[in-house]
Amino acid sequence: MSDNALEKVPTGINGFDPIALGGLPRGRCTLVTGSTGTGKTLFAMEYLARGLAEYGQPGVFVTFEESPADLRRNASSLGFPVEQWEREGRWTFLDASFESTQETLTAGHYNYAALVSRIGNAVRATNAARVCIDSIGAILARYPNVTSVRTELFRFVTHLKELGVTSVVTAERLREYDGVSHLGVEEFVLDNVVILRNVLQGERRRRTVEIVKFRGAPHRTGEWLFTIDPVEGMVIIPLAFLR
Amino acid sequence: MSDNALEKVPTGINGFDPIALGGLPRGRCTLVTGSTGTGKTLFAMEYLARGLAEYGQPGVFVTFEESPADLRRNASSLGFPVEQWEREGRWTFLDASFESTQETLTAGHYNYAALVSRIGNAVRATNAARVCIDSIGAILARYPNVTSVRTELFRFVTHLKELGVTSVVTAERLREYDGVSHLGVEEFVLDNVVILRNVLQGERRRRTVEIVKFRGAPHRTGEWLFTIDPVEGMVIIPLAFLR
Amino acid sequence: MSDNALEKVPTGINGFDPIALGGLPRGRCTLVTGSTGTGKTLFAMEYLARGLAEYGQPGVFVTFEESPADLRRNASSLGFPVEQWEREGRWTFLDASFESTQETLTAGHYNYAALVSRIGNAVRATNAARVCIDSIGAILARYPNVTSVRTELFRFVTHLKELGVTSVVTAERLREYDGVSHLGVEEFVLDNVVILRNVLQGERRRRTVEIVKFRGAPHRTGEWLFTIDPVEGMVIIPLAFLR
Amino acid sequence: MSDNALEKVPTGINGFDPIALGGLPRGRCTLVTGSTGTGKTLFAMEYLARGLAEYGQPGVFVTFEESPADLRRNASSLGFPVEQWEREGRWTFLDASFESTQETLTAGHYNYAALVSRIGNAVRATNAARVCIDSIGAILARYPNVTSVRTELFRFVTHLKELGVTSVVTAERLREYDGVSHLGVEEFVLDNVVILRNVLQGERRRRTVEIVKFRGAPHRTGEWLFTIDPVEGMVIIPLAFLR
Amino acid sequence: MSDNALEKVPTGINGFDPIALGGLPRGRCTLVTGSTGTGKTLFAMEYLARGLAEYGQPGVFVTFEESPADLRRNASSLGFPVEQWEREGRWTFLDASFESTQETLTAGHYNYAALVSRIGNAVRATNAARVCIDSIGAILARYPNVTSVRTELFRFVTHLKELGVTSVVTAERLREYDGVSHLGVEEFVLDNVVILRNVLQGERRRRTVEIVKFRGAPHRTGEWLFTIDPVEGMVIIPLAFLR
Amino acid sequence: MSDNALEKVPTGINGFDPIALGGLPRGRCTLVTGSTGTGKTLFAMEYLARGLAEYGQPGVFVTFEESPADLRRNASSLGFPVEQWEREGRWTFLDASFESTQETLTAGHYNYAALVSRIGNAVRATNAARVCIDSIGAILARYPNVTSVRTELFRFVTHLKELGVTSVVTAERLREYDGVSHLGVEEFVLDNVVILRNVLQGERRRRTVEIVKFRGAPHRTGEWLFTIDPVEGMVIIPLAFLR
Ligand SMILES: Nc1ncnc2c1ncn2[C@@H]1O[C@H](COP(=O)(O)OP(=O)(O)O)[C@@H](O)[C@H]1O
Ligand SMILES: Nc1ncnc2c1ncn2[C@@H]1O[C@H](COP(=O)(O)OP(=O)(O)O)[C@@H](O)[C@H]1O
Ligand SMILES: Nc1ncnc2c1ncn2[C@@H]1O[C@H](COP(=O)(O)OP(=O)(O)O)[C@@H](O)[C@H]1O
Ligand SMILES: Nc1ncnc2c1ncn2[C@@H]1O[C@H](COP(=O)(O)OP(=O)(O)O)[C@@H](O)[C@H]1O
Ligand SMILES: Nc1ncnc2c1ncn2[C@@H]1O[C@H](COP(=O)(O)OP(=O)(O)O)[C@@H](O)[C@H]1O
Ligand SMILES: Nc1ncnc2c1ncn2[C@@H]1O[C@H](COP(=O)(O)OP(=O)(O)O)[C@@H](O)[C@H]1O
Ligand SMILES: [Mg+2]
Ligand SMILES: [Mg+2]
Ligand SMILES: [Mg+2]
Ligand SMILES: [Mg+2]
Ligand SMILES: [Mg+2]
Ligand SMILES: [Mg+2]
């Protein structure tokens, strides 16, 4: 690997960075995709909170369908003093739900411009190095066809990258092993793709995380088991424990 | 788990609360989804009736396709004195079927406003802590595309949460293990997801319940066997009996 | 089970009522669904004919795609004196095929009103306790989208229930184990669902009947083998014979 | 079985009538469905030719996509003197292909009226007892949606039955074991359904015939092996030979 | 088999004619269908080239997406002096690609008339007995719906047959064992159907050819292995070598 | 194989050219298709970079969704001095993303003309022998239906071939073994098809490359294992190592 190798930003998530050979590619946008309840919001939350707690990097959390109040409580149940960080100006919740934005929804069109400029303002005000968008599915659902989704998502990601931050974008998928993303387009536009799975085996559930793609950067491949601990959050099980 | 952990509301359903590590997340909305005859209406009914019988919490039952008369009879066959509770002003049926509401159905649009305000009135009049909506599928079916379903369902759930109640919303799905919800959207919008299944094994049926997601709260995972007893209603079989 | 338990109407079909724990729920509407040749029309016919022969209950048979003449012959080949019952005013065929009704079919719309009032008249004239609609698929096929099917089917069923009769509605499905009904909507609207199957096993066919749902009433679950006998009609095989 | 049992018309096809417990239901319309090359046209042809050769019943063959010249040659290769029968006025080919009819095809609509009256004339002129329509798929393909297919097919079949003939209608399907008919509608409208299959087993093909439904009449069930012999045509293998 | 049996035209392809019991049915049109890279173009090319080299029959090759220059080179790599034959007026390439025809493509419509008359002229000028159309998929793709595809394809094939030639028409399919043709219509319209397959078994590919249908003519059934040799072209492996 | 055999252009990719029996067919266009993260961009990049490094052939890289800056860094991490080559005028990045082109996107239409002429200019200025388009999916997504995709893609490929270059076009697919390309059309239009796969086996990933089609040219068949090395890039594992 030459010196030009892409730098990585450590997530701080228990056991994830070794698999990612350092963390998420710096300055780029990573898609975290999974079906309901696989832990996407938890991943995004921990990425931001551990970035602040362990690496001192401020962050912006853009939420579409969970209220900042709910997210604050979730974070604090994991021991993260999010409210304090908010007061210190190092953490910003950006509530992008329809209700809060009062936005008029013209049929089949969504004006990213306003969202992008709100995110830009929040990033500058917070001096943020990390941004989470949870979830992009709520935006994409407003587009009438896949054609415009691809173009618009590309635009959106380009703007995120221009802000200089390393971002996590969550997106939903309906099945565990059938395709990667809901619309089959997100995965092609984004630079990096991480899949969270929660598969029924017999009557038990088995959680795994997999890095499917890092554009221009190495990473470990395959599925890795993890659990969700009420105190520790995501805990990826080191291979040594498995065999 | 810190003190900030999300509180739980016990359902009183036989054997369910231990799996839910206490019950349904307080003040939020839980999706109960399953194919035909899996027991969604029974779950909703028991959640409300046991809330009153065992915890003294009044409730509102919003029904779309079963008449209050039918539901009263079902409840009473399980030993719940619903009619008496209605007289006492502690239980309210809200008949939201098309017939009863006389509503003019403009093509592809459904005015939630009227429904939301009727539910609000019923909640206040009954001083309700619990609300059931059975089933959301009847509403969602009136939307022409998934885009508006997502936005409108989000709005509807937001209004429910503003009422301060802990609610159960039922929704249908067509297959046991393929996807979670009918439209593939409900599961992303709702905070919590419970799946009921009724699977053919050889020539017999096997009923299971599974908590797929509680946003920001722990729960036990995997499928749990249950039976439907004419006297006891849903009875989840404790693990100890299984092996 | 309390005294409030839903009453059942015995079908008289060989071996069915024990599985149904008495029969079909009184005053309600039961969906009998199955692929081609599974015996839906036979079930409907026997339900009506045995209701008259064994329980003295008059009936109305609404037919969409088989002529009354053909049905009369089928019934008489099973030993039911349908023609005599017709003369006695205790059995009425209502021919709802497009030809006979001369109805003008406006694109994508079907006027249930006329059908409903014809059924009402027939029920009153015959003093009917039982009604069969064979098959609803012929009506539903005229609707352009699933949205209106759901609303209209609900309306239709509501009207049937207002007539005070216990009815059987047949509907088609394309595959034996994939989904319950053709449009995936009938099963959610109807109170009770019975599935007839005719599955290829190796090169032989195996017929089964299963009660999937009785709203608010108990029933036995799983698939039960049956044969079709030219003299006896449907004969469900008692479990004792099976093992 | 009472005296009222539906009469059967023997097909004369080698080994088919015993399975059909006599033949095809008299005065009705039987759907013969199968994927490409399963022998639908051969079945139709033999049904008509053997009807004339063995039972002296004149017939009308309505063809949509094979020319009468081609069919004549096929028939004569099986030893049937079709050309002679045509000269004697006991066999009529009705060429219903688009070219020959010169018909103007209005978008999405097909005027059955002309076809029906041409068939009626041919039946009367030939004094036909048997009619084959090969294949209905060519007509149905002209309808824009399944809704109108169902209504129109029903009308068409009703007219065929009014002519007093016993008819065979062929239709295509795309897969061997997935669904019965191409549009999933033909099978519900027609009184009787016969499926021809040609399944790959390893690298060999295995041909079977199955009667799926005879409305109001008994028949043997399951799949029966057959071969196509250049001299004998379809030859269904008697069960005795199989085990 | 009577004297009226359909005559066959030998293809000359290594090992194919024994399976076809002589070759392709004379004066008719055979569909050769397969997924990408299965050898459709090679089959068409060899059918024409061997027809000239071994049976002295001139031919016309209609190409839609490969240029005559490319095809000439392919043929010559197999040792066929196509350029010489072209100079002798016994082989004609008809370039029907959009570029070369300069045709204005009206939305959703394709004027076969011009193509048909060009083919007719080429056939007469070359005195051709054999014609290949590679591939029909390029034409069919221009039709907006399956309805018109069926009608137009039928017309096109009828015109080909009127020219008195024995033709091969190639068409694409997406999967090896799921359905026969891309649109599910080609196989019903054409008289004869040959499938080429290229199936992954473990990590190796296995090529097979199968005759699915010859209308009114016998043929051997099932899949036959073949290889593609840079000198010999398609070589079907005789059964004797297989076991 | 005659002297007329199609010439091959070596890719220089570790172990690929032996499988391709020399390399990619000269002067033609090869489709490289695979799901997310299979290495399509890496293949394209290496094809161009090794062409310059090992064979002295200048190249043009047309990128739609990765920025030239990102690609430069990826290339340099593999040890390719792309920036130097750019300065020497032997490598050109053509940024065809929507942002950079400022193009007005008329609904459902994309003007290839501009793109084609930009590519032509770049090829002439660079004196390029090799061109990569990464990925065509970004263009095809702008077309409203498959019909126009096929026609337009054919036009585009024809223009590429007229430039005299040997090109690689990448395209996405959603599943590993289901179909070849995303729209099911690319594979039919392009002369050559290479598939990259990344399949989950148990919890590990297994990368393979397969040549599915070279029009008119031999190649080895089946899947070949490869790894992606941070220094060497793609490394196809020679068969000798496998057994
Ligand atoms: N604070 C918490 N304590 C314990 N478990 C939690 C907590 N937050 C989330 N979980 C667990 O993680 C699961 C997934 O949560 P979430 O990140 O919301 O999923 P997604 O966003 O993918 O739908 C929940 O179902 C729950 O079991
Ligand atoms: N009161 C009751 N007594 C006995 N069994 C019941 C009773 N109510 C419901 N059941 C059983 O529960 C099943 C599911 O009922 P229901 O809750 O209506 O399902 P869903 O709403 O999911 O369609 C019924 O088919 C029946 O077997
Ligand atoms: N009168 C009868 N005698 C014998 N068998 C019958 C009779 N009526 C129906 N059957 C058998 O029952 C099968 C199913 O008939 P039907 O009720 O018409 O099915 P469906 O309405 O589900 O299409 C027929 O295929 C036939 O085998
Ligand atoms: N006259 C014949 N001689 C020998 N085999 C025949 C003859 N006619 C048909 N066949 C065989 O029967 C198969 C099916 O023919 P056909 O009835 O045209 O099928 P379908 O109408 O279902 O497409 C043909 O592929 C051929 O193998
Ligand atoms: N001249 C040739 N020499 C060697 N192999 C060839 C030649 N022509 C074709 N092939 C082989 O045949 C395969 C299929 O070619 P082709 O007929 O173009 O397929 P299709 O038209 O079905 O897409 C190619 O992938 C190649 O492996
Ligand atoms: N420079 C590099 N160093 C190490 N690994 C790389 C490098 N570039 C790509 N990879 C690996 O190759 C995989 C596929 O990359 P890419 O070519 O972008 O895939 P695709 O274009 O098919 O989506 C990445 O997930 C990464 O694992
Ligand atoms: Mg989430
Ligand atoms: Mg219910
Ligand atoms: Mg029926
Ligand atoms: Mg045929
Ligand atoms: Mg080809
Ligand atoms: Mg790429």
Side-chain angles (χ1 to χ4, degrees), chain B residues 6 38-39 48 52 65 70 72 79 115 121 128 154 162 169 200 204 207 213 215:
Chain B
L6 205 54
T38 47
L48 228 60
L52 242 173
E65 291 179 336
D70 287 352
R72 255 176 227 120
L115 177 63
N121 291 339
F154 179 78
E162 285 167 4
V169 168
L200 262 183
R204 301 296 80 166
R207 296 184 184 277
K213 175 175 77 168
R215 275 187 180 151

Side-chain angles (χ1 to χ4, degrees), chain C residues 76 99 141 175 203 205, chain D residues 4 147 155 178 206 210 223:
Chain C
S76 96
E99 295 306 309
R175 294 188 193 83
E203 281 144 22
R205 286 276 178 185
Chain D
N4 259 34
T147 307
R155 287 220 167 97
D178 199 16
R206 187 171 146 282
E210 180 185 13
E223 288 185 287

